[in-house]
Amino acid sequence: MGRAHEVRAKAMAATAAARSALFMRASKEIYMAAKSGEPDPEMNLALRSAIEKWKSQHVTKDVIDRAIQKAKGGSAEAYTAGRYEAFGPGGSLFIIDTLTDNSNRAFIAVRTAVTKKGGHLGSTAYNFTEAGMFVFTGNNRDEVEETLILGDIDVREVNQDEDKIEVLVEPTAFAAARAALADMGISEFDVAEITFLPNEPISLDDPEDKRKFEELCDMLDELEDVQNVYHNVQ
């Protein structure tokens, strides 16, 4: 499978702690999306996008429904978004997004995880490009590309990988691309989100670097305040 499969494969092998953190991340993002407008995915595009994003990572309907009901109940919880950039083992680079009710706790937890594996915080974002990504089942790559271009969507790439189509668009074109795909009858996505892609992906050939990198990814996955992790390792 291609890049899109690799991005999501780690969710299937999550530890119990990572799965708990996954559910917490989903709950916070869905709650914030529901609070930002109508708590109805049919009327709130941000909420619908959040729900589909986390459903693709096997978050249960119960978790999703509880987050929406919490928003409907008028909960006053508030979360602050943060972003940390880091150098990891073997030349690996990270962008780490947090969503937390305690920014100091989030910072300390991220810094501790990175330094434990020999890394350090530092500027890495220039090594990544932000993009809107859609991955869905289909065999009509040319039709999808033509429809998006004719719809004046800022398309970067449309790739076919077996029976999966991956579409990359400018972040500002994400909503328009989603609407154009919906008009084609495409409403079920494996991935539908704005993400960061490495400009120059690397491979870790040294076993020790690879071990430390994987352990760092696991540690970040288990942190309750971490929302998204992007890196440059294939």
Side-chain angles (χ1 to χ4, degrees), residues 89 204 207 209-219:
L204 296 181
D209 286 340
K210 187 174 181 180
R211 179 185 65 80
K212 288 182 179 179
F213 167 79
E214 290 174 349
E215 289 175 351
L216 175 55
C217 288
D218 288 343
M219 290 176 70

Side-chain angles (χ1 to χ4, degrees), residues 54-172:
W54 293 108
K55 281 174 67 177
S56 74
Q57 296 192 45
H58 309 283
V59 171
T60 64
K61 184 177 184 297
D62 184 52
V63 170
I64 294 169
D65 289 345
R66 281 204 308 269
I68 295 174
Q69 289 303 317
K70 185 177 178 182
K72 286 181 178 179
S75 171
E77 280 189 66
Y79 298 102
T80 301
R83 174 164 291 163
Y84 304 95
E85 301 166 37
F87 294 85
S92 58
L93 306 173
F94 287 83
I95 294 176
I96 303 159
D97 285 344
T98 59
L99 190 61
T100 179
D101 58 1
N102 187 325
S103 296
N104 188 55
R105 180 187 67 209
F107 168 72
I108 292 172
V110 169
R111 183 183 62 183
T112 299
V114 170
T115 55
K116 272 187 176 181
K117 296 306 170 183
H120 62 275
L121 299 182
S123 179
T124 62
Y126 62 91
N127 292 285
F128 295 82
T129 300
E130 192 175 20
M133 174 186 279
F134 300 90
V135 179
F136 50 91
T137 300
N139 291 290
N140 56 337
R141 177 210 170 278
D142 292 343
E143 180 187 356
V144 168
E145 183 175 46
E146 182 179 0
T147 298
L148 293 173
I149 291 174
L150 291 176
D152 230 8
I153 309 298
D154 289 328
V155 179
R156 289 186 184 168
E157 297 178 31
V158 181
N159 302 307
Q160 181 87 45
D161 183 2
E162 297 180 356
D163 66 340
K164 296 293 182 180
I165 294 176
E166 177 192 77
V167 174
L168 298 179
V169 300
E170 293 294 328
T172 54

